[in-house]
Amino acid sequence: MQFPVYINFLSLHLPLHAATETLGMFIGFRYFLYLRRKQGDYINSNNRIWIIIGAIFGALAGSRLLGALENPPAFFHAGNPLLYLYLNKTIVGGLLGGLIGVELTKKVIGEKTSSGDLFVSPLILAMIIGRIGCFSMGVYEETYGIATTLPWGLNLGDGVLRHPVALYEILFLVALWATIAFLQKSYSLENGARFKMFMIGYLAFRLLLDFIKPGYRYFAGLGSIQLACLAGLIYYAPSIIFPSRLIKKQYA
């Protein structure tokens, strides 16, 4: 396999990743609309629209800011810091920034109902499609792993056998999706529990995964994404320590 992978569309010669990013967002949003029609929504349409707007702007800001902070020396010495900020992004920043954007928006509009459950499956699907694109970039985008002697190490374009971390993430997301679906069928979950399980699972996974990815480290061997994951896990600490809070209480 030759990295990066390109596709030809009409007269365009584009990286596959450019197509999968757009496709992932499009399919994920269409899936969200489908689930909302099928399952219903606890939140009225006007408030849901504002929540989506808050999520979009929060995700855009968070993904770019955390992406830029992955390599502070490169950011602060960039000839055009705003361009550097725009070009660098990370899904962890998008998720946490989106979470902040949603919570601030809900405070403004006075919405108190948990709003994340409907986003879980569409988000996972979009992320899987996006990570296929990340894998197709090989070492030409900062979503590859460090060198490994394990038998499944892959040459991602530089002649070095590396951890295919994008493939690891795809497998994890499939497993996380299946686990949440199983728990949803097995238990009567509180509203918002599925989103909390998704965030806790993904943040914990990324905290560990980034130990086998190259990059700038702040202290204790931790990069900016790992520190953000820790902050997110601290935010969700009550649900981690007391998972029974995610299950609806049964009253006699």
Side-chain angles (χ1 to χ4, degrees), residues 10-140:
L10 299 177
S11 61
L12 299 176
H13 185 60
L14 297 172
L16 177 62
H17 193 196
T20 57
E21 272 195 342
T22 304
L23 189 64
M25 290 186 288
F26 175 77
I27 293 178
F29 186 66
R30 297 304 303 179
Y31 189 33
F32 164 78
L33 294 177
Y34 166 77
L35 290 177
R36 189 167 187 261
R37 287 194 302 269
K38 182 180 179 181
Q39 300 176 6
D41 194 349
Y42 293 108
I43 298 173
N44 67 62
S45 295
N46 286 337
N47 282 1
R48 177 62 74 178
I49 290 172
W50 281 113
I51 287 169
I52 291 173
I53 292 172
I56 290 172
F57 280 97
L60 285 173
S63 66
R64 263 63 185 185
L65 180 59
L66 188 58
L69 293 177
E70 281 192 84
N71 190 338
F75 176 45
F76 293 122
H77 291 91
N80 188 334
L82 289 179
L83 179 61
Y84 186 91
L85 187 69
Y86 173 76
L87 293 175
N88 288 272
K89 56 187 181 294
T90 171
I91 186 63
V92 170
L95 291 173
L96 293 175
L99 173 65
I100 293 170
V102 166
E103 293 304 319
L104 290 176
T105 300
K106 286 168 65 176
K107 286 187 179 296
V108 171
I109 65 178
E111 180 61 65
K112 297 182 180 180
T113 305
S114 296
S115 58
D117 282 351
L118 272 175
F119 291 120
V120 171
S121 293
L123 267 174
I124 294 176
L125 178 58
M127 289 166 66
I128 289 171
I129 296 171
R131 282 309 184 207
I132 293 172
C134 292
F135 173 70
S136 74
M137 291 299 295
V139 295
Y140 299 95

